[in-house]
Amino acid sequence: MPQYFLYLFMTVVLLFVISTVRAHPIYSYKTDSSSIEGRWDISIYIAEKTSPAWLEVNHSGLKTLVGQFVGTGGSARPISQVYFSNGKISFSIPPQWESGNDLSFESVYRNDSLIGTITFPNGKNYNCIAVRAPSLRRNKIPVWGKPIRIFNGTDLNGWHASGENQWKVETGILKSTKQGSDLITDANFTDFKLHIEFRYSKNGNSGVYLRGRYEVQIIDDKASLPWKGGFGAVYGFLSPSEMVAKKTGEWQSYDIILTGRMVTVVANGKTIICNQEIPGITGGAINSNEVEPGPLMLQGDHQPIEFRNIIITPANMP
């Protein structure tokens, strides 16, 4: 189905479901707050495309619901209170960067989905739907396949840009020469081991998106203490145990293992995240379909960045 007609179809379905829920008697709703606790993968219908977001709801004390939210960009934001009454869910959080109104979310709980609207700080309002995020738990130790050198050192074969391409290859090095598009593998992966080497200039900022959804941060912040937005972090979620960044202009490396949601990050030969769970998607993810395989994505919308020796070893999935 062409993208435009798919968008129209989804819009009609959302409007029908929302109108049906609103017309339904209140007694049909579940009022137990446990029904909305947990993690939710959100699809926001903007123009003729679907944009990803993520929500987690949990208890604070006996009665108060709190949470965290990831929008179409940026880091995970804390939610001071999630309101739930008669099957209706709402919350608001202040803007992360730009001035404007709070971001607000309103939905109804129906058939184990959240169906409603989201209003961004700029005042624009969009339909959205949220489904339960998958656990992604693995019951077996992975059996690794053969390593694949996914950057051949010669050209961009096997990759594509998210928009107008500013990436190029020179003397075996993959370069984003200026702020522009992200670079994405044509192939998708599920569980894997990744080796990747990179080099940035002063104030450099980039990232490696695992399955196109979970960003391991690359940033020039050697002088900082470890934090959720710093070098080697899973952006917005997991802090590294120590700062191991090298000086600006030096080649550095990540060795990453991703199985389900569990991630290990070895930076410059030191383990800084050890088999920790990634709760949800990072802002800027390609989509919120966490159950699906996804590509490797290199962030190119900040300062220039260079990569080399990109090798992925997929797990042999049953």
Side-chain angles (χ1 to χ4, degrees), residues 11 26 42 56 70 82 84 87 90 96 117 127 134 138 142 163 168 200 206 224 243 299 306:
T11 301
I26 287 177
I42 304 173
E56 183 174 39
V70 175
V82 177
F84 181 57
S90 64
Q96 186 165 13
T117 59
N127 292 328
R138 305 298 191 233
K168 62 181 181 179
Y200 47 71
S206 182
S224 300
M243 175 56 67
Q299 189 176 24
E306 299 178 349

Side-chain angles (χ1 to χ4, degrees), residues 168-182:
K168 62 181 181 179
V169 179
E170 291 182 349
T171 62
I173 298 173
L174 177 59
K175 298 182 178 182
S176 174
T177 56
K178 61 181 180 179
Q179 182 179 18
S181 298
D182 301 326

Side-chain angles (χ1 to χ4, degrees), residues 230-252:
F231 181 92
V234 176
Y235 186 70
F237 286 119
L238 303 179
S239 297
S241 58
E242 59 180 307
M243 175 56 67
V244 298
K246 296 182 180 181
K247 295 180 180 178
T248 299
E250 293 188 36
W251 281 105
Q252 309 192 57

Side-chain angles (χ1 to χ4, degrees), residues 13-33 35-37 40-43 55 57 82-91 104-118 126-132:
V13 170
L14 277 170
L15 291 174
F16 173 76
V17 174
I18 292 170
S19 63
T20 301
V21 170
R22 288 176 176 170
H24 209 277
I26 287 177
Y27 64 75
S28 68
Y29 295 116
K30 290 184 177 181
T31 56
D32 181 2
S33 65
S35 61
I36 66 163
E37 290 185 56
W40 299 88
D41 286 335
I42 304 173
S43 295
L55 170 68
V57 179
V82 177
Y83 298 94
F84 181 57
S85 178
N86 293 329
K88 297 180 180 179
I89 303 100
S90 64
F91 65 83
S104 63
F105 178 90
E106 296 182 355
S107 69
V108 291
Y109 176 78
R110 182 74 168 180
N111 296 328
D112 208 29
S113 297
L114 307 181
I115 303 164
T117 59
I118 185 168
Y126 301 100
N127 292 328
C128 63
I129 186 168
V131 298
R132 294 277 181 188

Side-chain angles (χ1 to χ4, degrees), residues 157-172:
N157 184 44
W159 299 77
H160 62 275
S162 60
E164 183 177 352
N165 180 40
Q166 82 284 356
W167 294 82
K168 62 181 181 179
V169 179
E170 291 182 349
T171 62

